[in-house]
Amino acid sequence: MSKKRKRVAYSHATGMVCEEHVDFPPFPCAWPNCPNGVDADEIEVEYFSGSDPKVSFRDKWEYGDGHFTYVWQDADHPFRLLWLDRLVGRELARRNIVTWSNRSTTLPIIYHYTSLAGFMGIIESGEIWLSDPDFLNDKYEFRYGIELAKKVYLEIAQRDGENVIKLFNDWLKFSESEKHRSYVASFSYDRDSLSQWRGYGPICLGFEYFPAVSFGYKGGGRDGEVIYDEETQLESLKLSAELTASAYKQDCIWSPGRVDELYENGGHHILSQAALLKHPAFKDEKEFRLVYSEYDYLLASLKKDRISPRFRIANGSIVPYITTRDTVRLGLRDSYPELLPLKEVIIGPSNTDTLYKGVKEYLLENGYSDVRVEMSKAPLRS
């Protein structure tokens, strides 16, 4: 019996987002019988005007203890690893392990607390600084998430045989290697936090955030809400490990000649998860973070050098950092915005009307005419 095939548009239209299955454009939802999908087992997509259409088939991806999901898989070169990062985030939201909001209808505002000098530097340069996490306030930073991942991944591997055990051991060694360097920019969902006013300074900048747009498109990047609850952390790592084991076993069948090469450097999948896990003691920060990581194998394939870090003094130490503009050089296009997506500025408690007036005028002179400026309502005692 022949499979039904349907031609579909390659489109990023927001109306194509499927909230039930947390599936995103450019393809229709892959779940069968979904009103946001198509009544066909295969789709034919013209990626560029005048190009030959490519065929994808509906791949039922089973994992763990009876769980499954669907993706559109390239019929000529099916390979599940290529879907892994996107699918982990999607399944975490679909199964309500983490919260999710449809960014195509409402963009979140993320807040960055800083000093007056930091505020002026951000506005004049149009850049946010990303610092090496080894120098941040949580001295364990990525190590915390990697240790949790080690526990979960090796436990899942025991169910899936020697090949998966070896793969996960190799990935964990990769994630612990000091050859790879990461940088982090921290934001918060809390726009008026006493602890962050005390810790970071009298200015809070509220940015509208949309991936690959707000601060430019970049390769090697990851963003997301930090997870503090240990049960949720373990559940997210378990889901990722189960999806990975399932992908690896299926890819060994589909592409036995390429699987070792393509999975060799897959440890970055563990690193990208670890970057969004923090000790519960930091939960009051309500952090959202941008993470940029440099991997030698990726840089070599793109014929790029590492970004040369800059240095700043903070908390009695010398801290390496890069900027959001630096990271765009690995992107597929020059996409850095002319102005940052700044929507509001909150001035911390115990500050004067003079600062309020100065901030408003300074923003106006630098092209930010539509930015709200407010005073904090937090009752901070001097």
Side-chain angles (χ1 to χ4, degrees), residues 185-253:
S186 296
F187 300 81
S188 176
Y189 283 115
D190 193 337
R191 68 191 294 275
D192 198 355
S193 163
L194 277 176
S195 62
Q196 297 200 62
W197 290 126
R198 290 189 179 109
Y200 299 107
I203 298 291
C204 175
L205 307 176
F207 297 100
E208 188 174 64
Y209 186 69
F210 191 81
V213 176
S214 294
F215 302 108
Y217 178 84
K218 57 186 67 62
R222 176 77 194 268
D223 64 75
E225 183 176 351
V226 171
I227 300 172
Y228 301 97
D229 178 72
E230 187 172 356
E231 183 178 348
T232 305
Q233 292 171 346
L234 294 172
E235 279 294 306
S236 68
L237 289 166
K238 178 172 180 279
L239 181 147
S240 179
E242 289 174 342
L243 280 170
T244 303
S246 172
Y248 180 69
K249 289 185 286 186
Q250 184 60 54
D251 286 342
C252 284
I253 296 170

Side-chain angles (χ1 to χ4, degrees), residues 64-362:
D65 299 320
H67 296 290
F68 60 90
T69 188
Y70 293 88
V71 298
W72 291 113
Q73 195 69 248
D74 188 323
D76 292 330
H77 304 288
F79 213 76
R80 284 184 172 177
L81 178 65
L82 303 179
W83 276 94
L84 191 58
D85 276 344
R86 172 171 172 163
L87 196 57
V88 168
R90 200 175 83 183
E91 285 296 282
L92 286 172
R94 188 186 68 82
R95 290 175 50 189
N96 295 314
I97 296 172
V98 299
T99 56
W100 174 78
S101 62
N102 186 347
R103 290 180 179 177
S104 70
T105 56
T106 304
L107 294 179
I109 303 293
I110 54 176
Y111 296 92
H112 184 69
Y113 289 78
T114 187
S115 64
L116 281 173
F119 162 60
M120 294 180 72
I122 289 169
I123 296 301
E124 290 177 16
S125 68
E127 300 172 343
I128 302 290
W129 290 359
L130 297 89
S131 300
D132 186 320
D134 287 343
F135 297 79
L136 298 180
N137 59 343
D138 175 4
K139 66 180 180 179
Y140 295 109
E141 280 295 331
F142 288 10
R143 171 59 49 191
Y144 172 85
I146 290 171
E147 288 300 319
L148 277 182
K150 187 183 296 185
K151 172 184 175 182
V152 173
Y153 271 71
L154 293 181
E155 184 179 297
I156 296 298
Q158 298 301 319
R159 311 190 312 210
D160 288 290
E162 292 184 8
N163 289 339
V164 174
I165 292 174
K166 181 181 183 305
L167 173 73
F168 283 0
N169 273 314
D170 289 344
W171 279 21
L172 287 164
K173 287 177 184 175
F174 179 102
S175 69
E176 294 178 300
S177 170
E178 294 183 359
K179 293 180 181 178
H180 320 298
R181 191 164 201 177
S182 297
Y183 298 90
V184 173
S186 296
F187 300 81
S188 176
Y189 283 115
D190 193 337
R191 68 191 294 275
D192 198 355
S193 163
L194 277 176
S195 62
Q196 297 200 62
W197 290 126
R198 290 189 179 109
Y200 299 107
I203 298 291
C204 175
L205 307 176
F207 297 100
E208 188 174 64
Y209 186 69
F210 191 81
V213 176
S214 294
F215 302 108
Y217 178 84
K218 57 186 67 62
R222 176 77 194 268
D223 64 75
E225 183 176 351
V226 171
I227 300 172
Y228 301 97
D229 178 72
E230 187 172 356
E231 183 178 348
T232 305
Q233 292 171 346
L234 294 172
E235 279 294 306
S236 68
L237 289 166
K238 178 172 180 279
L239 181 147
S240 179
E242 289 174 342
L243 280 170
T244 303
S246 172
Y248 180 69
K249 289 185 286 186
Q250 184 60 54
D251 286 342
C252 284
I253 296 170
W254 279 340
S255 305
R258 300 177 62 220
V259 72
D260 289 342
E261 174 193 353
L262 292 174
Y263 275 81
E264 179 183 4
N265 295 301
H268 69 268
H269 294 287
I270 293 177
L271 270 176
S272 68
Q273 276 198 291
L276 298 181
L277 306 179
K278 285 188 75 170
H279 192 280
F282 294 93
K283 66 180 180 180
D284 288 344
E285 293 178 348
K286 300 178 183 176
E287 186 178 353
F288 180 99
R289 56 173 36 174
L290 303 180
V291 183
Y292 171 80
S293 299
E294 290 187 318
Y295 305 109
D296 288 344
Y297 80 93
L298 178 59
L299 292 170
S301 68
L302 296 172
K303 298 181 179 179
K304 297 280 189 179
D305 296 323
R306 285 176 176 263
I307 296 174
S308 296
R310 312 175 204 190
F311 297 89
R312 62 187 176 91
I313 297 173
N315 301 321
S317 182
I318 297 175
V319 181
Y321 75 96
I322 60 175
T323 76
T324 45
R325 195 185 302 273
D326 292 333
T327 67
V328 174
R329 72 190 189 109
L330 287 187
L332 300 179
R333 59 187 182 277
D334 183 9
S335 60
Y336 205 79
E338 184 176 345
L339 289 176
L340 293 173
L342 184 63
K343 296 300 176 185
E344 61 178 332
V345 175
I346 302 97
I347 298 172
S350 299
N351 284 290
T352 65
D353 289 342
T354 305
L355 178 57
Y356 173 86
K357 293 175 183 176
V359 166
K360 290 203 71 167
E361 184 169 343
Y362 181 71

